[in-house]
Amino acid sequence: MSLTTTPGEFPTADPDAKGARPADGAPMQQSFWTDGGQTVWSWLGTVDHKRIAILYAISITAFFFLGGAAAALIRIHLFTPHGLLFSRDTYNKLFTLHGVIMVWFFLVPSIPSTLGNFLLPLMIGARDMAFPKINLLSWYVFVGGALLTVIALLAGGVDTGWTFYPPFSTIYSNSAVTLAAVGVFVVGFSSILTGINFIATIHLLRAPGMKWFRLPLFVWAMYATSMVMILATPVLSTSLLLIIAERLFGMPIFDARIGGDPLLFQHLFWFYSHPAVYIMILPAMGVISEIVTVAARRKVFGYAFMVYAMIAIAVVGFMVWGHHMFVSGMSPYAALVFSFLSFVVAVPSAIKVFNWTATLYRGQITFAAPMMYALGFLGLFTIGGLTGLMLASVPIDVHVTDTYFVVAHFHYIMVGASVSAFFGGLHYWWPKITGRLYPEGWARFAAILMFFGFNFTFFPQFIMGYLGMPRRYAEYPAEFQLYHVMSSTGAMVLAVAYLLPLFYFAYSLRFGEVAPANPWNATGLEWTVPSPPPKHNFDQIPHVENDPYEYHAQGHAPEHGKSIHRGQGDGPVRTPPT
Amino acid sequence: MRGGLPIFPVEADARSVVTDHLFFGLLGLSVAIILLVVSLVVVFSVRYRRGSSAKRGELPEIVSKEFEIGWTVATFFLFLFVFWWVSSSQLSGFKAPANALEIHVVAKQWMWKTQHPSGVREINALHAPTGVPVRLVMTSQDVIHSFYVPAFRMKQDVLPGRYTETWFKANRPGTYPLYCAEYCGTDHSQMLGEVVVMRPADYGRWTAVQPQPNDLAGQGGVLYRSLGCGSCHDAAGPNHNAPSLGGLYGQQVMLSDGRRALVDETFLHQAIVQPDRNAVAGYPATMPSYAKAIDEEGLNALIAYLKSLPAHAGGRS
């Protein structure tokens, strides 16, 4: 496999990257895909982090399209003020299904359990996770819990919304709340196990010379995310247990009639669920840092600040939960404190946006599909973050909380930013994971379609939210119809954009060109091993002597054609794979 | 579809103007930041596209740690300023003015009930005069709801087992939609109402033609007598086993577990439906719960009656 390709080319445009096209269906080279057995049990019993990542990828893809189908039905229903398709009860169950599945079974595990699982050992020069069996256990726990919940959501239905607010969820709802809560409770353990595993791996298994401040930012993102996972998830588990205890056994916890406090649940729930937003966005930030640097052939601007910013977000993120409760009846002075902290937590996010932008300065920028997603991320994340500042302002929040304004805001962060980054990362590491190149033209088309489809869907929701359209309405006043029609039309475009990768990735798996070890000319240890990596990752554990993202000499941006790729001149030199 | 394309909600309250100013301020700031980021990204993307002739080479001095610290601090102070600006303009709005008209709201699946001090009751509607601050004292009979009037930029959750408050001072006559904004079950989207704002003279005329056997406190007095509250609370002499209720509202009382509590609406509510929760020091805990005997609207009337009692008057009226 040639390692001396022209710098910065796209895979499809790179003459040297073109491997011989193997006969259709011909077996791939020895890799983790084949090595270790091809039986079903060799997959279901695997402790190889790469295979576990694939198991996760298949599971969460299924959940993504299930949750996405619910979203599509919701948007079709809302074409008309009285609703096109469903009864109010069915509509309520549908948005609950959408929220529960997307938050807990797609967004929270998405990047960490797939790209994280696959790449973390490769990026730090390890042969596997610290606890390979726990890694497999976490997948079983995830699938087991998720299936319980999905059965509850599909068979009986749950009509509480993903937030499970009591006393509605504990006393008034006649739906399968208990089973759904048990499932989410179980899935929480999967998050905790994954978090512990990542932290132990990063602490214990870094290759010689891989100092903390030589870690790729993606690894730092996994580290910060794991911290949030193991500290916040137990609180969610506790609050769900309390819901179950009150619902099944009538324990007086949230029921005000017998001395309970319904607001207690909201405090516990948001103490998890706000940090959970950072569980979703920190990994995305890690992915974007990898993509922007390789696409611009530049060192990341302010590496140390990028690390500190992620840690600051993870820490301060624990102190802002009250901004979900400004209108709940909390003390106005508490609201002031939470408002202040919410402004503070926005600072490191803003710094990261500035740093990604500055990384482009004097680069040699190319615009392959991963970079298209990264640029989309930058725009959508900025809009999501700035509307977050509006929501951190108490008087504005009082008006727009629980309206479509909030719906639009968190979709900009969780879908616009996180899902864009997930797709970007999937395209960027696709050649590494599968050993095949994806069709670049289709991929760029899908990225652009996703960006516009997303904005068509969610931007009108800002406007109708400020006009006062409440969320979770099965039917709505006619004056909002035009905005709903725009939003629903956008959602149809978005659905097509999300389906496209399914097809061209499947095509690429079978017919894609064979990928070289390092199609992007990227630094990073994962690019020093063959694509796809062998079962044991590294024949020889590498010795790391360079900082990350050494695409050019310190203080000197790369001129075109000069030594800006690995293995030559001032590029990073690492132990080559055998 | 009717009425074309609404762009902006009506402002029908002085505070809605303040909220909109804050919103537009932040919107302007946001647009400026987005334009800055987008134009930098576009300029860099075009200028530094691969193979362009733009100069690279030695990086200028400005690309340094000091530069980074500079924009971090600048961002922090910018956000601090915005926080100060937003928060200072809301501080005055925390508490309703003392002379506010007090209207009680009871929410239940899936309906709003309102009670005026004059005793007038409405369902899914609230009539209010312009120019007079109106304080809403709200509670729920079942799950959590949220009282939302976009024209006032006003929203407040309505909880079971306690009273929450908000207030408005309408300045533009008209009929404005009222929504439930906290998901409350099957017919959440049907829990709608309207706030009808009238000139004070019209409001007076409207009140006068409503059927009103008794004002709210008067209705509470009827309940007080029919429930037999006075048999304990009005008893005098050495063997009285219940506190006298006259002038109690707004006082601090000692509880039997040593806590002190302010007697407000929520305290009185709990004292009636969960008497064991905050037993007052010096009296035997003999009072039964009246949760089954009286609904939330009755509680509102009863509490209005208790608030109307002068000090040392007992419950005799």
Side-chain angles (χ1 to χ4, degrees):
Chain A
M1 216 56 65
S2 167
L3 290 174
T4 54
T5 48
T6 326
E9 287 283 4
F10 317 130
T12 45
D14 185 342
D16 290 342
K18 274 189 183 148
R21 183 189 293 264
D24 293 341
M28 282 184 275
Q29 57 174 316
Q30 278 295 311
S31 72
F32 78 96
W33 288 94
T34 52
D35 222 0
Q38 305 236 49
T39 60
V40 172
W41 179 246
S42 76
W43 280 86
L44 293 181
T46 184
V47 292
D48 180 350
H49 67 98
K50 299 180 289 301
R51 285 193 167 196
I52 294 169
I54 303 298
L55 293 177
Y56 262 117
I58 293 167
S59 330
I60 68 162
T61 302
F63 289 129
F64 177 69
F65 283 103
L66 185 57
L73 290 174
I74 288 170
R75 284 310 333 165
I76 292 171
H77 177 77
L78 294 176
F79 263 115
T80 61
H82 289 291
L84 274 181
L85 301 177
F86 308 110
S87 69
R88 289 169 202 144
D89 262 326
T90 311
Y91 177 85
N92 297 341
K93 288 174 177 176
L94 211 55
F95 73 68
T96 305
L97 180 138
H98 168 70
V100 168
I101 288 184
M102 286 304 203
V103 168
W104 282 304
F105 308 149
F106 176 70
L107 285 166
V108 166
S110 61
I111 295 175
S113 68
T114 57
L115 297 174
N117 247 327
F118 196 97
L119 295 165
L120 188 65
L122 286 165
M123 282 182 160
I124 63 173
R127 293 214 161 102
D128 207 323
M129 288 286 177
F131 309 115
K133 288 178 186 166
I134 287 184
N135 202 13
L136 179 64
L137 176 66
S138 81
W139 179 72
Y140 275 103
V141 170
F142 170 72
V143 172
L147 285 181
L148 279 184
T149 302
V150 169
I151 287 168
L153 294 170
L154 289 179
V158 177
D159 65 350
T160 62
W162 77 282
T163 47
F164 291 120
Y165 273 16
F168 182 73
S169 64
T170 54
I171 297 165
Y172 292 89
S173 172
N174 290 315
S175 59
V177 178
T178 307
L179 187 59
V182 167
V184 175
F185 173 80
V186 171
V187 167
F189 285 92
S190 164
S191 275
I192 296 169
L193 292 175
T194 301
I196 291 172
N197 215 342
F198 281 13
I199 289 173
T201 306
I202 296 169
H203 272 274
L204 299 174
L205 299 184
R206 280 170 291 131
M210 181 57 95
K211 299 172 185 167
W212 282 95
F213 275 66
R214 282 181 182 168
L215 289 173
L217 288 173
F218 181 79
V219 176
W220 272 111
M222 287 300 119
Y223 191 78
T225 307
S226 302
M227 282 294 183
V228 180
M229 277 180 173
I230 62 175
L231 293 174
T233 313
V235 181
L236 171 74
S237 310
T238 311
S239 50
L240 290 173
L241 272 189
L242 294 176
I243 289 275
I244 295 166
E246 179 160 297
R247 197 173 162 84
L248 285 189
F249 310 116
M251 284 176 65
I253 300 158
F254 307 122
D255 183 359
R257 294 172 309 181
I258 43 179
D261 183 355
L263 279 191
L264 172 64
F265 177 82
Q266 295 182 23
H267 281 289
L268 293 172
F269 182 82
W270 290 114
F271 189 83
Y272 163 81
S273 290
H274 194 80
V277 175
Y278 299 112
I279 294 177
M280 301 171 205
I281 199 68
L282 284 167
M285 293 170 162
V287 168
I288 296 305
S289 301
E290 302 297 316
I291 294 174
V292 167
T293 47
V294 75
R297 316 295 310 163
R298 287 276 279 119
K299 283 175 191 290
V300 71
F301 186 90
Y303 172 88
F305 274 78
M306 293 296 255
V307 173
Y308 298 145
M310 282 197 281
I311 293 172
I313 290 170
V315 172
V316 183
F318 274 101
M319 297 183 249
V320 300
W321 79 89
H323 68 214
H324 295 267
M325 299 168 63
F326 286 156
V327 300
S328 70
M330 69 156 51
S331 143
Y333 303 103
L336 271 185
V337 173
F338 282 119
S339 169
F340 172 73
L341 289 166
S342 306
F343 274 96
V344 170
V345 80
V347 175
S349 298
I351 298 314
K352 293 190 79 78
V353 170
F354 295 150
N355 280 20
W356 287 315
T357 307
T359 302
L360 300 177
Y361 177 65
R362 297 201 169 186
Q364 294 278 359
I365 308 169
T366 52
F367 300 94
M371 185 59 167
M372 311 285 274
Y373 282 108
L375 294 176
F377 169 97
L378 266 185
L380 301 179
F381 179 71
T382 306
I383 294 175
L386 289 166
T387 49
L389 283 189
M390 298 176 186
L391 290 164
S393 311
V394 178
I396 301 175
D397 183 81
V398 166
H399 174 44
V400 296
T401 189
D402 280 318
T403 69
Y404 268 73
F405 192 93
V406 165
V407 175
H409 159 72
F410 70 72
H411 279 90
Y412 265 80
I413 295 291
M414 286 149 72
V415 183
S418 282
V419 178
S420 290
F422 181 58
F423 275 96
L426 207 55
H427 286 81
Y428 177 55
W429 283 291
W430 183 260
K432 177 55 59 189
I433 295 169
T434 64
R436 303 283 186 141
L437 301 178
Y438 61 82
E440 184 63 40
W442 278 105
R444 282 196 234 176
F445 175 66
I448 293 168
L449 198 63
M450 222 176 270
F451 181 80
F452 285 102
F454 178 86
N455 281 300
F456 280 134
T457 309
F458 291 103
F459 202 83
Q461 298 188 1
F462 280 126
I463 302 170
M464 68 170 138
Y466 203 82
L467 281 168
M469 170 75 215
R471 65 190 286 207
R472 296 175 165 179
Y473 265 31
E475 297 170 24
Y476 56 83
E479 70 243 41
F480 299 114
Q481 186 176 11
L482 202 50
Y483 293 106
H484 276 291
V485 169
M486 286 184 210
S487 184
S488 295
T489 310
M492 301 303 111
V493 177
L494 194 55
V496 173
Y498 283 138
L499 284 169
L500 275 178
L502 200 63
F503 293 110
Y504 65 71
F505 277 146
Y507 169 87
S508 151
L509 272 183
R510 194 169 165 81
F511 304 111
E513 288 172 34
V514 171
N518 190 359
W520 307 105
N521 275 300
T523 66
L525 292 177
E526 78 270 28
W527 302 107
T528 65
V529 301
S531 302
K535 183 165 183 276
H536 51 272
N537 294 355
F538 299 93
D539 288 332
Q540 201 184 340
I541 294 295
H543 191 90
V544 182
E545 280 154 11
N546 298 86
D547 289 339
Y549 317 117
E550 292 229 318
Y551 292 106
H552 54 87
Q554 185 68 42
H556 202 279
E559 294 290 356
H560 181 51
K562 280 173 72 179
S563 47
I564 53 173
H565 47 64
R566 61 176 305 284
Q568 285 181 29
D570 49 6
V573 183
R574 295 201 168 106
T575 313
T578 44
Chain B
M1 234 173 284
R2 68 158 197 247
L5 188 65
I7 301 287
F8 201 71
V10 188
E11 293 170 334
D13 167 288
R15 284 192 307 161
S16 66
V17 180
V18 175
T19 302
D20 288 344
H21 280 163
L22 296 173
F23 177 71
F24 281 120
L26 276 169
L27 190 63
L29 180 72
S30 302
V31 169
I33 293 175
I34 289 168
L35 282 182
L36 176 72
V37 170
V38 168
S39 46
L40 281 175
V41 167
V42 169
V43 167
F44 289 165
S45 294
V46 172
R47 191 169 160 78
Y48 299 114
R49 67 189 184 279
R50 191 180 71 89
S52 75
S53 57
K55 179 176 164 293
R56 271 84 162 187
E58 205 74 32
L59 287 171
E61 275 292 297
I62 198 168
V63 184
S64 65
K65 188 171 275 182
E66 287 72 24
F67 190 48
E68 171 111 40
I69 292 172
W71 77 38
T72 305
V73 172
T75 309
F76 182 76
F77 279 103
L78 175 67
F79 288 0
L80 208 61
F81 169 76
V82 174
F83 168 75
W84 168 80
W85 176 57
V86 168
S87 301
S88 58
S89 66
Q90 87 184 72
L91 282 171
S92 57
F94 280 172
K95 262 206 144 2
N99 62 340
L101 181 70
E102 188 176 291
I103 293 183
H104 288 266
V105 176
V106 174
K108 58 182 279 193
Q109 287 177 324
W110 292 276
M111 161 194 297
W112 299 101
K113 294 181 175 183
T114 55
Q115 294 168 289
H116 294 250
S118 61
V120 174
R121 297 177 180 213
E122 302 181 73
I123 288 180
N124 291 338
L126 171 62
H127 285 72
T130 52
V132 177
V134 176
R135 174 170 169 256
L136 299 175
V137 180
M138 308 190 283
T139 191
S140 163
Q141 219 160 288
D142 39 49
V143 303
I144 300 175
H145 302 275
S146 193
F147 190 94
Y148 178 33
V149 184
F152 300 158
R153 314 290 186 269
M154 178 191 85
K155 185 184 291 116
Q156 173 62 52
D157 284 4
V158 182
L159 298 154
R162 73 171 76 179
Y163 292 96
T164 54
E165 284 183 24
T166 188
W167 69 281
F168 63 90
K169 187 168 155 186
N171 57 16
R172 185 194 296 249
T175 302
Y176 307 108
L178 157 68
Y179 300 116
C180 177
E182 184 65 67
Y183 175 69
C184 57
T186 305
D187 282 352
H188 170 54
S189 61
Q190 308 305 307
M191 194 165 160
L192 310 172
E194 52 190 35
V195 176
V196 183
V197 174
M198 315 169 102
R199 283 176 223 291
D202 296 334
Y203 178 73
R205 271 195 292 278
W206 174 81
T207 305
V209 300
Q210 301 303 309
Q212 39 185 316
N214 216 334
D215 68 10
L216 194 61
Q219 293 170 20
V222 172
L223 273 170
Y224 187 89
R225 287 182 287 277
S226 69
L227 291 169
C229 308
S231 61
C232 294
H233 287 284
D234 294 347
N239 60 347
H240 74 290
N241 58 3
S244 162
L245 301 174
L248 196 57
Y249 181 79
Q251 302 289 309
Q252 293 268 348
V253 292
M254 282 294 289
L255 303 184
S256 57
D257 58 6
R259 284 177 298 143
R260 296 177 70 84
L262 174 70
V263 179
D264 56 7
E265 281 100 346
T266 299
F267 181 90
L268 291 173
H269 184 281
Q270 288 176 354
I272 298 166
V273 300
Q274 295 169 31
D276 297 343
R277 185 163 168 166
N278 294 315
V280 176
Y283 296 95
T286 50
M287 176 160 160
S289 166
Y290 281 78
K292 295 213 161 52
I294 184 168
D295 63 7
E296 291 295 344
E297 290 163 278
L299 281 163
N300 283 335
L302 196 52
I303 290 168
Y305 171 68
L306 296 180
K307 285 164 68 177
S308 72
L309 291 177
H312 309 302
R316 292 173 213 92
S317 52

